[in-house]
Amino acid sequence: MHASSRTSLAFLLLLVPWSGCTDDVTGQGPSDDEGSTSTGGTSPDPSDPSDPSDPTVDPSTTSDGSTTADPTVDPDSSGTTDGPACDGNDDCADMATECTDAVCEGGRCVLSDFAEGTPCGDATDAECNGADACDGAGTCVDNVLGDGAACLDCDGLECACSAGACSACAAFAETNEFTTTRSTVGWELTGDWGLYTGAPSAYSGGKGKFGGGGLLLPQLPFGGQVFGTDGNRSSPYPGGHEENSYARTKPFLLPATLDFLSWHLDEGSGTYDNKFVRVSVDGGKTWTDLLNCGTVTPDSPLCASVSDREPDDWTPVSLDVPKAMVGQVGIVEFAYATGDGCCDFERGWFIDTTSFATECACGADSVCDAFATECGGGACGAGGACDLEPVGAGAACGSNASTSCGSADSCDDAGYCQANDLVNLLPCEDCPAGEESCNGCLDGVCSDCPSPNDTFEAGLPGWNSTTTEGGSWTLFSQMPGNEDGDPAIMPMDTAFLGNDGSTLGGAGSERVLASITSPVDTMPDMLIFDSWHVDEGGAQDQPAPTADTKRVEVSIDLGMTWFALADCNDPDLDDFPFCVQVETRGADEWDTIMIDTAEYAGMDAQIRFTYDTGDNCCGFEYGWYIDDLNFAQTCPDPNPASGDGGGKD
C-alpha cells in the first residue's frame, strides 16, 4: 500500500465516530436494547412521526401531517404519474418520450401515456413491418410480424414474413392436421367441402333417397377437426342431396408420394360415391388420376362400400406421384361424385393428416392469433402448423340457450365450440305454434316444420291439375306397366308426381296433353327436382321431334302469364335429360334436374309442368315422373293417425 493511501485511511478513521462513546450533544450512550446499534448522533424518537427509522411510520408523512409525493409511484388508473417538483412545463420536458407526455401541473411533473396506436418511431409501413405505434403504456412498439405470417410481395411460390421482410416461404409444416382455418388458405373448395369436427347425423340402414330409411343416428365426433365433405347429407342434417364437387389444394412442389388418412361412409363404388385424387402441373388444364374408384383403383379401400364404422377408424393412404411430375409445381384435387341421392346411411368422405400442401411454418404464436376460436387460443405448434390451446372442456361458448331440443353450447377438449343439440327431427313440444303443431327439432330449436316434405308423401295440397286430353297428372307409387306388356316398375320412394303418358297398360294407348300447377311459394335461386321418363323425349334433334314434349314454366302473377324455364320443343331450352329419348331404364335411375331461377329468386311464384305426347305412340313408353322437388314443399303431419306402421309381422 502506498503512503498516500495509508494517510487517507487514517484521515477517514478520524471522521468515523465510535459507537461506544457518549454523544457530545445528547450525552446518551449505547441503546439498552440488546442487539440494536446507533449509526448517528441521535436515537429514534417514537413521538416524531417524521422519523424514517420507525418502521411503523409512513415515510411520506411529515411531522405536520402532510404527505410528500414519491416520484417513483406507479401510474394511477387514469394513466398519469406524478413526477418531481416543477415551476413550468420546461422543467418536465426531459421526462417526455415518443409515447408519454410530461406537463407541469400543481407544482409537479405529470406524465400521461399516449393512446394505443399513436404513431411513433419509424413510420415506414410495409407488409411484414408495420409503422411503429405506442402500446398505450408508454412504449413505442416495433410492429414486426412474426416469421411465417402471410404476405404477398415476393418472388416465391408462397410468400411469408421473415425478419420483418416478405420473402418466399423457407419452411413448411410437417403435416396438415386441419386444426385451424389457416390449413386451407389458398385452397379452392366447391360443394360441401370444408372443415368438420364430426360426420353428420344419418339414418341406420336407410336405402331411400333423401330421408326416411331407418332410425335417426347422431353425429359421429372425430375428436378434432378434419377436412372433407358430407356427400349425400345436406344441412340441416340428416337432409340429403346429390353432390358432385371437388377441393383443390394451393400450388406446391409435388413430392414422390401423397400420404394422408381417409374416412368414408358410403356405397364406395365407381358408379355411386366415386372418389378421385388427381394431380395437375399445368394449373388445372389437364389432370392425372392417382385414385379413381371407377377405373384406376377399383380395389382401393377408399372404393369399398362402408355402411358402419367408428369415428377413429381411419385408412392410411399412400399414392405414388408420376416420376415426371415429382418436384414440379402442382395442384392436388379431391373429387367426389355421389351419382345419386342414395343412401340415407351415408355420411360422406373425410381426409386428415396430409403430407402435402401444408402451411408455411409459423415462427411465433402471434402468427396464429388470427386463427383462434372461442374455445382455443392460437399457438404455433411443434410441427410448424398453427395449433389451438384449448380453454378447457365444458367452458361456455356459442349459444347459451337451453330448450327441449338441446342444452347450451360448450367447448370440447380440442378447442372447438360444440352445439349440444338433439338430433334433428326428434319429437319436441315447445315450438312457437304450440305442442299440437310441433314437428320436431331443427338445429337445437323445436320447429313447426323441421324438414319440409319434398317427396309428395303429404299429397298434393294446393296443386291444380288441368287435362286437355288423356290422363291427368297425379301421384304414383310405381310406374304402371306399358302397352308392350312390360310390368310395372317399383321405385324406392313411396309417392311421386307423374303422368303415365300414352300408355293405358295392356288396354292400349292414348294421346296426353295435361298440366299441373303448384301453389304459390318463394322461388329459390335454383329449381331442383328428380326426373324419370321412358318415352321419345321430344327434343328437335330426337327421332320424333314433336312427340312427348315437356315444359317447365314459372309465373309470378298468379298464372296470368307464364315464362318457360325448360321446353323440349325449343332448341334454346331443350338441354335437359328429359328431352332425350329413353326406351329402358331402372327404377332408381333418376335424373337430377337443376334449372337456374336466380332471375325470380325471392319472388312469390308458381311453377307448371306440362306433358304433351303429341300422339299415342309408343308401346315401350312409361311416361314422365317428378320427385324430390325443392319448391312448394309441405310439412309432415305432426300428429299422424296411429297404426301398426305397415311393417311385417
Side-chain angles (χ1 to χ4, degrees):
M1 182 180 290
H2 294 287
S4 59
S5 299
R6 290 195 295 269
T7 304
S8 299
L9 179 60
F11 178 74
L12 289 173
L13 290 173
L14 291 173
L15 293 177
V16 177
W18 177 51
S19 60
C21 300
T22 59
D23 188 276
D24 293 340
V25 178
T26 64
Q28 295 178 338
S31 169
D32 293 334
D33 295 335
E34 184 178 354
S36 63
T37 59
S38 172
T39 58
T42 62
S43 298
D45 183 359
S47 65
D48 184 1
S50 65
D51 192 331
S53 62
D54 186 351
T56 65
V57 176
D58 182 351
S60 64
T61 305
T62 62
S63 58
D64 62 1
S66 63
T67 60
T68 61
D70 184 355
T72 64
V73 71
D74 292 333
D76 60 21
S77 58
S78 64
T80 62
T81 303
D82 288 342
C86 60
D87 293 323
N89 289 341
D90 290 344
D91 295 338
C92 307
D94 291 342
M95 302 181 67
T97 69
E98 290 182 288
C99 292
T100 302
D101 191 22
V103 296
C104 186
E105 293 182 0
R108 290 286 177 181
C109 289
V110 178
L111 308 182
S112 58
D113 298 327
F114 293 141
E116 183 179 2
T118 301
C120 62
D122 186 356
T124 303
D125 190 5
E127 273 192 288
C128 297
N129 189 354
D132 298 351
C134 298
D135 64 358
T139 302
C140 186
V141 177
D142 186 7
N143 289 316
V144 176
L145 296 186
D147 289 353
C151 58
L152 300 174
D153 189 15
C154 81
D155 295 328
L157 184 62
E158 184 171 343
C159 300
C161 295
S162 177
C166 187
S167 58
C169 179
F172 291 86
E174 297 173 2
T175 58
N176 196 339
E177 304 292 338
F178 301 101
T179 305
T180 73
T181 55
R182 187 174 187 252
S183 62
T184 55
V185 170
W187 290 44
E188 180 186 355
L189 310 180
T190 67
D192 292 338
W193 284 93
L195 298 172
Y196 293 79
T197 58
S201 60
Y203 294 93
S204 64
K207 291 289 185 180
K209 293 195 290 100
F210 305 169
L215 299 174
L216 283 168
L217 298 176
Q219 171 183 279
L220 288 176
F222 287 133
Q225 190 163 260
V226 302
F227 181 69
T229 175
D230 53 13
N232 282 138
R233 297 279 65 78
S234 176
S235 182
Y237 302 125
H241 65 172
E242 182 174 340
E243 181 168 352
N244 186 4
S245 61
Y246 63 81
R248 293 175 181 171
T249 69
K250 61 186 179 181
F252 66 99
L253 296 179
L254 292 173
T257 61
L258 302 182
D259 301 316
F260 59 96
L261 298 177
S262 177
W263 190 101
H264 73 282
L265 213 162
D266 59 26
E267 293 178 277
S269 69
T271 303
Y272 301 111
D273 305 321
N274 197 4
K275 305 172 189 69
F276 305 83
V277 180
R278 301 164 169 157
V279 293
S280 173
V281 293
D282 57 9
K285 294 178 182 178
T286 59
W287 295 90
T288 299
D289 287 350
L290 305 186
L291 182 140
N292 180 333
C293 293
T295 57
V296 179
T297 53
D299 297 328
S300 168
L302 277 66
C303 305
S305 179
V306 179
S307 59
D308 187 28
R309 77 189 306 169
E310 295 299 316
D312 59 354
D313 179 21
W314 290 75
T315 302
V317 180
S318 184
L319 302 175
D320 292 331
V321 175
K323 291 183 179 180
M325 293 183 173
V326 175
Q328 293 194 54
V329 176
I331 301 170
V332 171
E333 176 184 272
F334 297 96
Y336 196 35
T338 63
D340 62 7
C342 181
C343 300
D344 294 324
F345 71 84
E346 297 183 7
R347 297 181 188 248
W349 180 29
F350 300 92
I351 293 159
D352 198 14
T353 315
T354 67
S355 63
F356 52 91
T358 62
E359 308 170 31
C360 183
C362 52
D365 288 345
S366 60
V367 174
C368 305
D369 287 344
F371 304 97
T373 69
E374 282 186 273
C375 297
C380 186
C386 282
D387 206 345
L388 293 177
E389 293 184 342
V391 299
C397 63
S399 171
N400 62 2
S402 183
T403 70
S404 62
C405 289
S407 57
D409 300 346
S410 61
C411 296
D412 62 17
D413 58 5
Y416 306 101
C417 186
Q418 300 293 345
N420 296 315
D421 300 336
L422 297 183
V423 178
N424 286 339
L425 307 183
L426 286 179
C428 56
E429 300 177 349
D430 57 352
C431 65
E435 180 178 350
E436 296 302 317
S437 299
C438 297
N439 272 272
C441 295
L442 177 64
D443 294 340
V445 176
C446 188
S447 172
D448 305 338
C449 185
S451 181
N453 190 335
D454 61 0
T455 55
F456 298 106
E457 293 188 22
L460 293 171
W463 289 76
N464 181 34
S465 178
T466 302
T467 302
T468 302
E469 188 175 353
S472 301
W473 285 84
T474 187
L475 293 179
F476 291 82
S477 59
Q478 62 182 11
M479 293 79 168
N482 62 19
E483 186 182 355
D484 285 347
D486 297 322
I489 297 177
M490 184 78 73
M492 290 183 291
D493 290 308
T494 58
F496 46 89
L497 178 65
N499 191 302
D500 57 7
S502 297
T503 184
L504 291 173
S509 61
E510 63 180 352
R511 181 193 173 179
V512 167
L513 176 56
S515 300
I516 188 165
T517 303
S518 76
V520 175
D521 193 10
T522 303
M523 181 61 68
D525 291 335
M526 189 79 68
L527 186 68
I528 305 174
F529 58 90
D530 281 355
S531 172
W532 190 102
H533 75 289
V534 172
D535 61 21
E536 295 178 277
Q540 293 293 305
D541 60 355
Q542 296 301 298
T546 60
D548 304 321
T549 61
K550 308 169 188 72
R551 283 198 311 278
V552 183
E553 300 165 286
V554 61
S555 174
I556 55 175
D557 57 7
L558 299 177
M560 297 291 290
T561 54
W562 291 92
F563 303 95
L565 300 173
D567 187 345
C568 296
N569 208 25
D570 183 342
D572 294 329
L573 297 172
D574 68 354
D575 189 19
F576 295 97
F578 53 69
C579 295
V580 177
Q581 179 169 313
V582 175
E583 298 187 15
T584 182
R585 72 192 315 170
D588 61 348
E589 295 177 358
W590 292 72
D591 299 311
T592 297
I593 307 301
M594 304 176 70
I595 303 176
D596 185 0
T597 52
E599 181 180 353
Y600 307 99
M603 299 183 184
D604 291 336
Q606 293 171 279
I607 59 172
R608 182 169 70 184
F609 296 100
T610 300
Y611 193 28
D612 184 0
T613 65
D615 56 24
N616 63 348
C617 181
C618 296
F620 68 85
E621 296 185 1
Y622 275 90
W624 184 30
Y625 302 90
I626 305 295
D627 199 7
D628 296 319
L629 175 67
N630 72 335
F631 184 82
Q633 298 167 313
T634 59
C635 223
D637 183 357
N639 296 292
S642 60
D644 63 7
K648 294 182 180 180
D649 293 336

